[in-house]
Amino acid sequence: MDKVKDNTVKVVFFSLLLDLLAFTMILPLLPALLDHYKVISNKGLYSMISHHVESLRIFLNAPDKVDTVLYGGFLGSMYSFLQFISSPITGALSDTYGRKPLMLMCLTGITLSYLLWAISRNFGIFVLARFVGGISKGNISLSMAIISDVTSPDKRGKAMALVGIAFSIGFVVGPMIGAFFAWISSGNRNETWYVVPALFASFLAASNLLYVVYNLKESLPVKSRAKTVSSGLIQSVVYINPIDLFRFTSVSGLNDKERHDLKVLGRTYFIYLFIYSGLEFTLTFLTHHVFKFTSMQQGCMFLSIGLTMAILQGSWVRKVPSDKTKTVAELGLWLIIPAFIFIGLAKNTIMLYFGIFLFAVSTAMVVTCMMTLVTKIGPEHQKGTITGIFRSLGALARAGGPLIASAGFWYFGSTTTYLIGAVFLLLPPIILHTMKSL
């Protein structure tokens, strides 16, 4: 039985890895893709939106240079919002019908989204592709649920660490794959240059689907499933209602201090990720418009960020003593402020990469330590609920951050946007400091 469970964890790991490689391929390509649709779309959805954006630009006297960042911000926020809505519902349905059927449904939708990208001869089809991809992205939360099904509490941390490794590898290798395809097509950048990377992403997604079909065993026995889907769907509302999320309404068995600490961590995490995700999302547009980075240079940038994070998380951060976790999290929250100041003020690539290095170091510290703090609070049987709420808070933050930051980038310009973001990033470490060490 233990061998079967260990094999299930490995299947989840490789499935996530294939999914993340396909998902991150588009990151260094997105600015060039949006420029491409701007050039070829003289009618349809892009033209209609562009007309309204132009009217707003004239009314607000905004600069006429970076309209595409608005479209990018809309797509990024739409994708995260759909994931925020669909993940709890997918999880609730899987409680009744089993993990594997819902996982196959999600992976089928993701594969379809990349095929739509491959045939997206206009902006409208590309938006549809991102919509289908976002609504199908419940596979990540399902992966967490499957791991929880097949691991005991004392082994769950080690299994969840594999999820972190899959994310690290995906965000290191995936953008480089996308940049490579952009590089080989740079000499012949025609109207369908994006088809090859889109088809490769489709191939990875289809391979993932087939891999799961033949290798993933159902992890939730029939006797352990919910009798009706309605109770699960009602419970999933807790993960969608922001008021319930911030109050941790669905978590029982907490004393006053534990509930207070969770609320502090929740507010800290949401504000941090709301601002951070917006500035992180606009980074590719900054390097594209201001520093004229090619897709290959953008891929190298993501590679440097991913490697820095992986090295720190694999060596120092994971060995941080338990009583120092909050201190390291606070330090990381303070460190992200100068990171965005350097990025915003950068006039050359040396200053830019110094800011990016601080950004990577800070991210490695904050994300890992914040989640470690979360797992220290509450009874064992409620840990899944608590971490689920934090994932929902993170998805909600990412649903708003890119759109707000992109609007600021469009109206104020990159420097002002990053400096304003740096000022608001003073709030998370100050809020976290009010909580006593765990």
Side-chain angles (χ1 to χ4, degrees):
M1 182 63 70
D2 287 340
K3 186 176 181 180
V4 173
K5 291 180 177 180
D6 290 342
N7 185 64
T8 299
V9 173
K10 291 177 183 177
V11 171
V12 170
F13 168 77
F14 284 112
S15 174
L16 274 176
L17 182 58
L18 287 170
D19 175 66
L20 291 164
L21 288 174
F23 170 72
T24 55
M25 276 181 57
I26 199 173
L27 295 179
L29 304 178
L30 188 57
L33 268 172
L34 293 175
D35 283 347
H36 167 75
Y37 289 119
K38 183 176 183 178
V39 170
I40 69 169
S41 298
N42 54 9
K43 59 182 179 178
L45 180 63
Y46 194 104
S47 178
M48 180 180 70
I49 296 175
S50 181
H51 173 73
H52 292 294
V53 169
E54 178 63 15
S55 300
L56 182 63
R57 185 193 68 78
I58 294 172
F59 177 74
L60 297 175
N61 194 29
D64 183 22
K65 290 190 296 184
V66 289
D67 285 357
T68 53
V69 75
L70 274 181
Y71 302 114
F74 163 75
L75 289 173
S77 287
M78 179 192 74
Y79 196 96
S80 293
F81 179 74
L82 291 170
Q83 186 177 358
F84 167 70
I85 296 295
S86 67
S87 290
I89 296 174
T90 301
L93 291 173
S94 76
D95 287 339
T96 301
Y97 299 110
R99 311 297 189 205
K100 187 171 181 177
L102 271 297
M103 177 67 82
L104 295 179
M105 189 182 299
C106 289
L107 296 181
T108 300
I110 291 170
T111 304
L112 176 61
S113 73
Y114 294 130
L115 290 173
L116 285 170
W117 175 24
I119 63 171
S120 58
R121 299 296 294 268
N122 60 64
F123 185 64
I125 299 178
F126 183 67
V127 172
L128 177 62
R130 300 304 289 171
F131 182 93
V132 173
I135 206 75
S136 304
K137 208 59 181 170
N139 65 306
I140 294 179
S141 61
L142 284 176
S143 296
M144 306 289 190
I146 292 170
I147 289 176
S148 296
D149 290 340
V150 301
T151 56
S152 58
D154 59 316
K155 294 183 179 179
R156 194 165 299 151
K158 184 178 180 181
M160 289 296 184
L162 284 175
V163 175
I165 293 171
F167 270 84
S168 295
I169 296 174
F171 276 84
V172 169
V173 180
M176 286 303 297
I177 296 175
F180 171 76
F181 281 115
W183 174 69
I184 62 176
S185 66
S186 59
N188 184 28
R189 187 59 69 86
N190 54 36
E191 289 191 4
T192 58
W193 63 271
Y194 56 86
V195 171
V196 175
L199 287 176
F200 188 74
S202 303
F203 167 75
L204 290 175
S207 300
N208 189 13
L209 176 60
L210 291 174
Y211 176 73
V212 169
V213 167
Y214 289 106
N215 293 281
L216 182 66
K217 306 297 182 184
E218 177 56 58
S219 63
L220 188 63
V222 175
K223 63 180 181 180
S224 301
R225 297 179 189 178
K227 301 301 180 184
T228 61
V229 72
S230 58
S231 59
L233 288 175
I234 291 171
Q235 180 65 23
S236 71
V237 173
V238 174
Y239 293 93
I240 299 174
N241 186 339
I243 295 176
D244 286 332
L245 287 176
F246 283 105
R247 291 178 177 176
F248 291 83
T249 305
S250 61
V251 183
S252 59
L254 299 174
N255 58 42
D256 290 342
K257 181 182 183 304
E258 287 176 328
R259 190 169 296 279
H260 172 266
D261 288 346
L262 279 178
K263 289 180 179 179
V264 170
L265 287 172
R267 289 193 295 268
T268 301
Y269 188 62
F270 177 82
I271 295 172
Y272 161 77
L273 203 56
F274 183 90
I275 303 167
Y276 168 95
S277 66
L279 300 183
E280 175 197 40
F281 183 84
T282 58
L283 188 57
T284 54
F285 292 91
L286 172 73
T287 54
H288 178 73
H289 289 289
V290 177
F291 292 92
K292 309 302 180 185
F293 273 23
T294 63
S295 295
M296 179 57 74
Q297 287 174 304
Q298 297 225 8
C300 291
M301 176 184 72
F302 282 109
L303 176 64
S304 65
I305 292 172
L307 285 177
T308 301
M309 290 175 57
I311 291 170
L312 282 175
Q313 288 174 332
S315 57
W316 170 56
V317 176
R318 71 183 183 90
K319 296 180 181 178
V320 171
S322 179
D323 60 333
K324 300 294 183 183
T325 304
K326 178 174 175 287
T327 301
V328 174
E330 278 190 51
L331 178 60
L333 289 171
W334 285 115
L335 198 58
I336 197 66
I337 299 170
F340 282 125
I341 291 175
F342 275 106
I343 292 172
L345 295 176
K347 301 300 181 184
N348 54 63
T349 54
I350 294 176
M351 192 172 179
L352 173 69
Y353 265 101
F354 181 70
I356 289 173
F357 173 74
L358 292 179
F359 166 87
V361 172
S362 168
T363 303
M365 296 165 67
V366 173
V367 173
T368 303
C369 291
M370 286 290 288
M371 292 312 296
T372 301
L373 287 173
V374 169
T375 59
K376 293 181 178 182
I377 302 175
E380 186 60 44
H381 70 280
Q382 289 281 280
K383 294 296 175 68
T385 302
I386 293 171
T387 55
I389 290 174
F390 266 80
R391 285 197 299 273
S392 292
L393 284 172
L396 181 61
R398 289 185 178 278
L403 185 60
I404 298 300
S406 297
F409 192 110
W410 173 74
Y411 183 72
F412 296 111
S414 57
T415 299
T416 302
T417 299
Y418 277 76
L419 293 180
I420 291 174
V423 171
F424 279 102
L425 280 168
L426 290 168
L427 293 174
I430 292 174
I431 294 172
L432 183 60
H433 189 71
T434 64
M435 187 183 79
K436 296 180 180 180
S437 296
L438 297 174

